[in-house]
């Protein structure tokens, strides 16, 4: 988070995406630095867009995935400068998670940064989505939110493959069984 | 639209103003100088530059809003712009862009869109009176050079 904060603090008038569902801390932090914040609760959007059956079977057709992407992230190509994905992509069915990351890649401009988190494989299916609040440039408050959900396990190799379209990937020390990733587009 | 009763019992901070009741649907633009509470359905833009708009828990609004203060408990689809604050309360659902001096979004509210804060520059201190001119004029080359017009550097196109 610190490297993301340093980067955010050193820039002006950025367009930042937050997929964790907006909260006052993140709003104050990002807009306080003079940036615009595009907020969407990705997991809530997934629940309301797809039917119970689609979510249960996790069988999502390509047109449905495309429609979800258009509905959820309809920013123009290369119009955003950074994305706070938190741990959301890990709680989407794998093809949808990959499609969403590819869409994020498309709307980000060159050299943009992405912050993502992955639950350690050892946590297994008991992992719950986390609410992440930026308290200040060096402190992040993480707490479970919502119900337990099916989770896609990622090894370090799988994370690298997941972010294959990005130029560079940095792994940070695990905290609370969460691994932080900073990817540069 | 009824002007009375007001909703002060339910929204204590709301002053007397107009109410679109639970069972009313209004289609069209609303503008004026009075606070407005929407408990029913409103399809149209709202322009209350000096007043507050409150969308109650049963209220639904589809349209652009410009007001001094905006408080949302219900559902809104459209851009919100407030010269002072916007509050999106718990259980509210807002899809649209938000621009305000002080945006407040409570936990459990659903919000999708862009948030931007309006920065208000603090009032400038009154300019100090210019010191009395020195009895002897300074040499011409020591005086600051003045640019034409408003004193700002000119931008020139080549």
């Amino acid at each position: 988070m610190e490297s993301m904060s340093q980067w955010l603090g050193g820039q002006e008038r950025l367009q930042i995406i937050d997929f964790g569902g907006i909260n006052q801390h993140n709003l104050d932090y990002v807009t306080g630095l003079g940036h615009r914040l595009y907020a969407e609760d990705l997991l809530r959007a997934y629940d309301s867009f797809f039917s119970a059956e689609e979510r249960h079977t996790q069988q999502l057709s390509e047109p449905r995935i495309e429609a979800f992407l258009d509905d959820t992230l309809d920013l123009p190509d290369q119009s955003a400068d950074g994305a706070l994905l938190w741990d959301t992509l890990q709680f989407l069915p794998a093809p949808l998670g990959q499609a969403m990351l590819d869409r994020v890649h498309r709307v980000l401009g060159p050299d943009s940064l992405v912050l993502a988190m992955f639950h350690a494989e050892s946590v297994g299916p008991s992992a719950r989505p986390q609410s992440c609040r930026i308290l200040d440039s060096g402190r992040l408050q993480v707490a479970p939110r919502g119900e337990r959900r099916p989770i896609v396990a990622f090894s370090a190799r799988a994370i690298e493959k997941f972010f294959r379209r990005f130029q560079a990937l940095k792994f940070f020390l695990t905290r609370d069984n969460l691994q932080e990733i900073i990817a540069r587009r | 639209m009824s002007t009375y009763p007001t909703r002060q019992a339910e929204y204590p901070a709301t002053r007397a103003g107009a109410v679109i009741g639970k069972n009313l649907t209004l289609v069209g633009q609303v503008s004026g100088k009075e606070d407005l509470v929407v408990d029913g359905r409103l399809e149209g833009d709202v322009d209350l530059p000096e007043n507050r708009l409150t969308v109650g828990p049963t209220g639904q609004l589809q349209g652009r809003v410009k007001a001094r203060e905006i408080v949302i408990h219900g559902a809104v689809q459209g851009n919100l712009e407030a010269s002072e604050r916007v509050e999106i309360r718990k259980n509210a659902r807002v899809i649209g862009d938000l621009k305000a001096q002080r945006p407040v979004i409570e936990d459990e509210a659903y919000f999708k869109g862009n948030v931007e804060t309006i920065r208000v520059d603090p009032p400038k201190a009154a300019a100090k009176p210019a010191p009395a001119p020195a009895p002897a004029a300074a040499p011409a080359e020591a005086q600051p050079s003045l640019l034409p017009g408003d004193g700002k550097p000119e931008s020139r196109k080549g």
Side-chain angles (χ1 to χ4, degrees):
Chain A
M1 186 64 219
E2 267 186 63
S3 41
M4 187 75 171
S5 296
Q6 278 174 10
W7 181 76
L8 285 172
Q11 312 274 327
E12 281 181 3
R13 306 278 305 157
L14 301 180
Q15 172 73 67
I16 305 298
I17 298 164
D18 184 342
F19 268 164
I22 199 158
N23 63 65
Q24 195 64 38
H25 286 94
N26 298 3
L27 190 160
D28 287 345
Y29 185 76
V30 175
T31 60
L33 293 171
H35 307 313
R36 274 158 64 99
L37 185 67
Y38 177 85
E40 169 65 296
D41 187 333
L42 191 59
L43 299 181
R44 235 162 125 171
Y46 168 71
D47 290 346
S48 61
F49 186 89
F50 291 102
S51 67
E53 194 188 336
E54 283 175 314
R55 283 183 277 127
H56 178 69
T57 60
Q58 301 212 340
Q59 298 296 312
L60 311 176
S61 67
E62 273 187 34
R64 290 283 290 156
I65 289 177
E66 199 59 30
F68 177 71
L69 301 181
D70 291 343
D71 192 59
T72 312
L73 188 59
D74 56 356
L75 299 178
D77 291 2
Q78 302 202 1
S79 63
D81 306 290
L84 304 167
L85 305 181
W86 310 116
D87 62 347
T88 54
L89 297 185
Q90 211 177 357
F91 292 95
L92 296 179
L96 183 60
Q98 185 69 66
M100 181 50 82
L101 184 61
D102 293 346
R103 173 60 66 95
V104 168
H105 182 273
R106 199 172 104 182
V107 304
L108 290 175
D111 285 328
S112 301
L113 291 189
V114 168
L115 172 72
M117 290 176 170
F118 291 86
H119 293 262
E121 283 185 282
S122 57
V123 179
S126 66
R128 282 174 64 187
Q130 303 291 306
S131 160
C132 302
R133 292 160 194 266
I134 307 170
L135 302 182
D136 57 42
S137 59
R139 290 185 307 146
L140 189 68
Q141 186 184 63
V142 179
R145 69 170 179 135
E147 300 294 313
R148 194 170 291 164
R149 292 166 174 268
I151 184 169
V152 181
F154 278 86
S155 63
R157 179 75 194 97
I159 293 171
E160 283 174 357
K161 201 175 159 196
F162 193 53
F163 282 89
R164 62 184 175 274
R165 285 172 180 251
F166 288 78
Q167 274 185 52
L169 197 58
K170 271 190 192 171
F171 290 76
F172 291 86
L173 288 175
T174 307
R175 199 185 82 157
D176 300 329
N177 284 313
L178 279 171
Q179 180 139 47
E180 254 180 54
I181 309 292
I182 296 272
R184 184 175 293 278
R185 187 202 189 281
Chain B
M1 195 185 328
S2 65
T3 302
Y4 298 99
T6 64
R7 302 298 307 274
Q8 281 173 296
E10 285 162 71
Y11 314 122
T14 305
R15 290 181 299 278
V19 178
I20 297 175
K22 255 184 198 176
N23 301 311
L24 286 178
T25 296
L26 187 70
V27 180
Q29 269 191 326
V30 177
S31 62
K33 292 186 175 181
E34 193 173 329
D35 290 354
L36 173 66
V37 175
V38 179
D39 282 335
R41 184 171 173 79
L42 172 58
E43 294 174 21
D45 297 344
V46 177
D47 198 7
L48 304 171
E50 295 166 28
N51 296 84
R52 173 202 286 228
L53 169 78
T54 304
V55 178
T58 57
Q60 293 177 54
L61 192 154
Q62 198 168 355
R64 176 192 59 77
V65 179
K66 271 191 172 184
R68 182 172 56 78
E69 288 180 28
I70 303 170
V71 181
I72 312 292
H73 298 263
V76 174
Q77 187 154 9
N79 297 344
L80 307 177
E81 185 174 342
S83 54
E84 292 184 7
R85 68 196 172 107
V86 171
E87 282 182 29
I88 300 178
R89 309 296 281 268
K90 185 180 170 184
N91 300 324
R93 184 178 172 83
V94 175
I95 298 175
D97 294 344
L98 192 164
K99 211 173 186 182
Q101 220 184 98
R102 282 172 290 147
V104 175
I105 302 182
E106 289 188 355
D107 285 355
E108 294 176 52
Y110 175 77
F111 174 81
K112 176 189 170 185
N114 254 312
V115 189
E116 197 173 352
T117 50
I118 301 169
R119 292 192 171 195
V120 178
D121 295 329
K124 286 177 187 170
K128 287 180 185 172
E141 61 270 23
Q143 291 189 357
S145 61
L146 296 174
L147 290 166
D150 58 3
K152 290 176 187 163
E154 279 185 311
S155 64
R156 290 162 196 254
K157 287 181 183 172

